[in-house]
C-alpha cells in the first residue's frame, strides 16, 4: 500500500471505527446479557438439574483446559496455531487405552492400590509419548519453516493433523476404541436425579494441581522465563544467551505432555475414543484458547471452563436449550463471535510491544 | 589501556548476506583486550550486521571471526554469549512485558552463580540508580533513556569480556548521551573491552581509542580515534563540518 492511498482512504476509515466500536459494545452486552438471562432462567427453572449439569461442565472444562493450554503455549511462543495438537491429544487417548487396558490389563475389577499406581504408569507413558511426538513434529515440520511466511507452517500444521489422524486410523481402525471403567464410578451424591461420580471429581482434582504447576513453571522458573523471553523477542533472546531452539522444543514437549494427560483423563471419563477425536475436541479446545485470549495461560483455562460449561448446559438443561445436536454449532458460533468482536479474547489485552 | 594488548577479537574478511543481499562485504576489524573500538558510518553501512555476525545471529558466508584464539563462526549465539560476548542491540529490544529486574536476570541467562548474579544486579543499579527505582516496572513503560540504561545493564549481566553497544545514543537527549558515555567509559575502566557502533561519530571518537569507518559494507578507513578526528574526510562526512 502506498502512502498516498493510505491518506486518501483515511477520512472514510476514520469514521468507521467509532461507529463500529459502539455497535461492538452494544452487541457484546446484548450477547452477554442473553447468555446470563438464559443461564439464570435455567437455574430458576430447575435448580437441582442446573447444579449437577454445572458440575459436569466443570469436569469437561478441566479436560479441555489441558488441551487448550497446549494451543496457547505454542501460539504464545511462535505464533503458530498448531492444528496437529488435537490429534496429539487423540494419540494420548489411544496410548492410554493400549497401556492401561491391553498391556496392564486394568478393567476396573482391581482394588485402588493396584489401579492407582498402574494408572500413574499409564499417565507417564501418555505424557512421554505425546511430549516426544510433539517435539518430533516441531523438529521435522515446523523448525525448517521458522523463517518462512506464517502461512507455510500453518498449512503444514493442518497437513500434520491429517497425517496423525490417518496414522491413528491405520493403527487403531475406524471404529471406537472402548476401555472399561477403570476410574471409580461410585456416585458421591445425587442432585436432581443425576449422580456426581468419583471419577468426575478425580478428573478435576488431577487437573487443578497440573494447572498450578504449569503457571508456576512459566512465571517463576528459569525455563519459564526463557519461554516468555523467546515469545517476546527471539533475536534478543539469542543475544542474552538463550538457546531458542531448545526453548521452543521444551514448549512443544510441555504442550504434548499436557495433551497426553488430557488424553488419558478424557478416555477414562468417556470410556471410548476414536481416530477423529482430535478434530472435534481439538477445535473445542482451540475455541477455548481463543475465547480466553490466545497466548494467555489463565485465559486458556478460563475459556476452557466456559466452553465445558456451555457444552454441558446445552446438552443437559431444558429451558430454551438447543440440545446436544447443536453443541458444535453453538461452540463455533462463539468462536466466530469472539474473533469478530473481541479477537484478543476475554482476558487478553492488546499489548503494545514497544521497547 | 595498553597499546599492545593481545587481540581479543579478530574479524577477518567477513561477508554476510540477508538472502541474496550482501550487507557486509569483507570487513576486517580487531579489538584488543580492554580497548574501546568504534565502528562509525551512515545507515546501512553494515555496522549492525557486523555485530550480528560476531554474535552468531547472522552467520557469515565466508571469513573468520576469532575470539580468545578460537574461531567462532558457526557457533550458536548462546555459546558465543557464554564465551564472553554480549550486546545491547540496535533499538534496545528489551523484553517489554517483563520487569526491569527480570530483564537484567535474562542477561545473566548463561550463568548459574546466584550470588554473583545478585552482585552484578547491584552493580548495574549502582551504575544506573534510575533502574533500581524502577526495578519492578515493566520495561515497556520506561522512557527511552531508561530503556537504553536497561539494555546496557542487561548486556553487562553476562559479565562479558567484550561488550558490543549498538547505537546507545540513538533518540536520547544530549545530556543523557553524555551520561551514558560516562558510564561506557567507567565500564571500560573496570576492564571490559567495548565495540561501539555509533552514528554520532563525534562522541564515539571521543570515547574510543581506535575507529573504523564503514561505507556500504566495507571498511573505508581505520586509524586511531585521534587521527580520525583530524581526518578531513571524516570531519566532512561524519562530524558535520563544512
Amino acid at each position: 500500500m502506498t502512502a498516498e492511498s493510505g491518506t486518501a482512504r483515511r477520512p472514510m476509515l476514520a469514521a468507521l471505527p467509532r461507529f463500529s466500536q459502539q455497535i461492538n459494545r452494544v452487541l457484546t452486552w446484548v450477547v452477554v446479557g442473553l447468555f446470563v438471562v438464559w443461564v439464570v432462567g435455567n437455574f430458576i427453572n430447575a435448580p437441582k438439574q442446573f447444579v449437577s449439569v454445572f458440575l459436569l461442565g466443570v469436569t469437561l472444562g478441566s479436560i479441555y483446559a489441558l488441551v487448550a493450554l497446549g494451543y496457547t503455549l505454542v501460539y504464545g511462543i511462535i505464533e503458530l496455531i498448531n492444528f496437529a495438537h488435537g490429534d496429539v491429544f487423540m494419540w494420548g487417548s489411544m496410548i492410554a487405552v493400549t497401556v492401561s487396558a491391553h498391556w496392564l490389563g486394568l478393567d476396573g475389577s482391581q482394588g485402588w492400590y493396584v489401579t492407582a499406581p498402574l494408572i500413574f504408569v499409564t499417565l507417564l507413558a501418555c505424557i512421554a509419548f505425546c511430549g516426544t511426538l510433539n517435539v518430533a513434529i516441531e523438529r521435522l515440520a515446523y523448525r525448517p519453516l521458522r523463517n518462512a511466511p506464517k502461512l507455510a507452517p500453518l498449512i503444514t500444521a493442518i497437513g500434520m493433523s491429517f497425517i496423525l489422524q490417518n496414522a491413528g486410523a491405520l493403527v487403531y481402525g475406524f471404529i471406537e476404541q472402548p476401555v472399561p471403567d477403570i476410574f471409580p464410578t461410585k456416585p458421591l451424591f445425587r442432585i436432581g436425579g443425576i449422580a456426581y461420580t468419583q471419577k468426575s471429581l478425580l478428573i478435576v482434582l488431577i487437573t487443578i494441581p497440573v494447572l498450578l504447576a504449569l503457571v508456576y513453571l512459566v512465571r517463576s522458573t528459569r525455563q519459564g522465563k526463557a519461554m516468555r523471553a523467546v515469545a517476546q523477542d527471539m533475536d534478543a533472546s539469542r543475544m542474552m544467551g538463550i538457546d531458542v531452539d531448545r526453548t521452543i522444543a521444551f514448549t512443544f514437549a510441555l504442550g504434548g505432555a499436557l495433551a497426553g494427560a488430557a488424553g488419558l483423563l478424557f478416555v477414562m471419563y468417556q470410556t471410548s475414543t476414536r481416530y477423529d477425536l482430535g478434530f472435534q475436541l481439538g477445535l473445542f479446545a482451540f475455541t477455548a484458547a481463543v475465547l480466553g485470549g490466545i497466548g494467555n495461560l489463565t485465559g486458556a483455562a478460563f475459556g476452557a471452563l466456559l466452553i465445558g460449561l456451555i457444552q454441558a448446559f446445552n446438552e443437559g438443561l431444558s429451558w430454551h436449550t438447543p440440545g446436544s445436536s447443536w453443541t458444535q454449532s453453538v461452540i463455533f458460533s462463539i468462536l466466530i463471535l469472539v474473533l469478530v468482536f473481541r479477537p484478543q479474547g476475554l482476558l487478553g489485552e492488546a499489548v503494545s510491544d514497544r521497547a | 589501556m595498553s597499546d599492545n594488548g593481545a587481540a581479543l577479537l579478530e574479524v577477518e574478511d567477513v561477508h554476510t548476506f540477508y538472502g541474496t543481499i550482501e550487507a557486509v562485504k569483507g570487513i576486517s576489524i580487531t579489538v584488543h583486550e580492554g580497548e574501546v573500538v568504534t565502528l562509525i558510518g551512515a545507515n546501512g553501512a553494515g555496522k549492525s550486521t557486523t555485530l550480528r555476525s560476531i554474535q552468531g545471529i547472522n552467520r557469515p558466508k565466508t571469513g573468520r571471526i576469532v575470539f580468545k584464539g578460537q574461531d567462532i563462526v558457526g557457533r550458536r549465539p548462546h555459546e558465543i554469549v557464554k564465551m564472553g560476548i554480549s550486546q545491547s542491540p540496535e533499538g534496545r529490544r528489551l523484553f517489554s512485558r517483563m520487569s526491569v529486574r527480570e530483564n537484567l536476570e535474562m542477561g545473566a541467562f548463561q550463568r548459574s552463580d546466584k550470588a554473583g548474579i545478585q552482585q552484578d544486579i547491584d552493580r548495574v543499579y549502582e551504575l544506573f540508580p534510575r533502574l533500581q527505582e524502577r526495578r519492578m516496572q515493566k520495561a515497556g513503560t520506561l522512557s527511552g533513556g531508561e530503556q537504553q540504561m536497561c539494555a546496557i545493564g542487561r548486556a553487562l549481566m553476562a559479565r562479558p569480556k567484550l561488550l558490543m553497544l549498538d547505537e546507545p545514543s540513538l533518540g536520547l537527549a544530549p545530556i543523557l548521551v553524555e551520561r551514558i558515555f560516562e558510564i561506557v567509559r567507567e565500564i571500560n575502566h573496570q576492564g571490559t573491552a567495548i565495540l561501539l557502533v555509533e552514528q554520532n561519530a563525534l562522541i564515539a571518537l571521543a570515547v574510543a581509542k581506535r575507529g573504523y569507518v564503514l561505507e556500504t559494507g566495507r571498511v573505508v578507513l581505520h586509524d586511531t580515534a585521534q587521527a580520525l578526528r583530524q581526518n578531513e574526510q571524516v570531519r566532512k562526512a561524519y562530524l558535520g563540518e563544512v
Side-chain angles (χ1 to χ4, degrees), chain B residues 36 181 184-185 196 202-209 225 229:
Chain B
V36 181
F181 276 90
V184 168
R185 269 201 200 96
L196 173 67
L202 192 63
I203 193 146
L205 290 174
V207 175
K209 196 163 144 309
R229 276 200 302 271

Side-chain angles (χ1 to χ4, degrees), chain A residues 36 38 43 45 64 113 116 128 133 230 239 245 249 254-255 330 335 346:
Chain A
V36 170
W38 175 67
F43 179 72
N45 190 45
Y64 293 164
Y113 44 87
L133 179 62
V230 172
M239 290 171 188
D245 285 340
L254 201 60
V330 169
L335 179 60
L346 295 179

Side-chain angles (χ1 to χ4, degrees), chain B residues 158-229:
Chain B
R159 271 203 194 165
K161 288 269 178 313
L162 174 67
L163 174 67
M164 304 197 290
L165 301 175
D166 199 341
E167 304 272 7
S169 75
L170 194 72
L172 300 187
I175 185 147
L176 262 174
V177 174
E178 297 254 329
R179 175 85 192 110
I180 295 267
F181 276 90
E182 260 169 49
I183 288 162
V184 168
R185 269 201 200 96
E186 201 175 323
I187 293 165
N188 176 243
H189 281 304
Q190 292 172 10
T192 311
I194 293 173
L195 182 55
L196 173 67
V197 159
E198 261 300 339
Q199 285 195 41
N200 185 341
L202 192 63
I203 193 146
L205 290 174
V207 175
K209 196 163 144 309
R210 292 186 304 115
Y212 294 79
V213 179
L214 269 60
E215 262 170 36
T216 58
R218 291 192 178 84
V219 175
V220 291
L221 203 60
H222 71 100
D223 211 330
T224 63
Q226 202 179 358
L228 287 174
R229 276 200 302 271

Side-chain angles (χ1 to χ4, degrees), chain A residues 86-94 164-165 168 273-275 277-278:
Chain A
D87 302 281
V88 172
F89 161 68
M90 176 274 292
W91 269 96
S93 70
M94 291 294 186
L164 290 178
Q165 195 172 324
T273 177
R274 212 170 62 180
Y275 75 101
L277 169 76

Side-chain angles (χ1 to χ4, degrees), chain B residues 58-193:
Chain B
N58 294 93
R59 191 183 170 154
K61 200 160 202 173
T62 56
R64 268 163 34 102
I65 300 173
V66 179
F67 181 67
K68 293 199 291 191
Q70 293 176 48
D71 193 340
I72 58 170
V73 170
R75 295 219 185 171
R76 315 221 357 245
H78 66 267
E79 295 169 325
I80 292 172
V81 172
K82 195 158 197 178
M83 288 182 72
I85 302 181
S86 72
Q87 72 170 301
S88 160
E90 189 181 14
R92 308 186 273 258
R93 306 190 67 161
L94 295 175
F95 302 115
S96 53
R97 289 185 303 239
M98 288 182 170
S99 69
V100 169
R101 199 196 148 89
E102 279 177 317
N103 266 280
L104 295 180
E105 285 171 2
M106 295 322 292
F109 194 78
Q110 279 295 334
R111 297 169 53 189
S112 49
D113 53 324
K114 271 205 168 146
I117 291 172
Q118 184 55 49
Q119 216 178 322
D120 284 3
I121 288 180
D122 292 337
R123 179 182 157 220
V124 170
Y125 287 158
E126 232 169 80
L127 286 173
F128 304 105
R130 282 302 276 279
L131 293 183
Q132 181 161 28
E133 287 167 35
R134 309 204 176 248
R135 62 190 180 277
M136 301 315 280
Q137 220 169 298
K138 295 257 183 296
T141 65
L142 299 179
S143 74
E146 290 162 348
Q147 286 191 12
Q148 190 61 60
M149 296 173 189
C150 190
I152 295 174
R154 187 178 65 168
L156 276 176
M157 289 302 298
R159 271 203 194 165
K161 288 269 178 313
L162 174 67
L163 174 67
M164 304 197 290
L165 301 175
D166 199 341
E167 304 272 7
S169 75
L170 194 72
L172 300 187
I175 185 147
L176 262 174
V177 174
E178 297 254 329
R179 175 85 192 110
I180 295 267
F181 276 90
E182 260 169 49
I183 288 162
V184 168
R185 269 201 200 96
E186 201 175 323
I187 293 165
N188 176 243
H189 281 304
Q190 292 172 10
T192 311

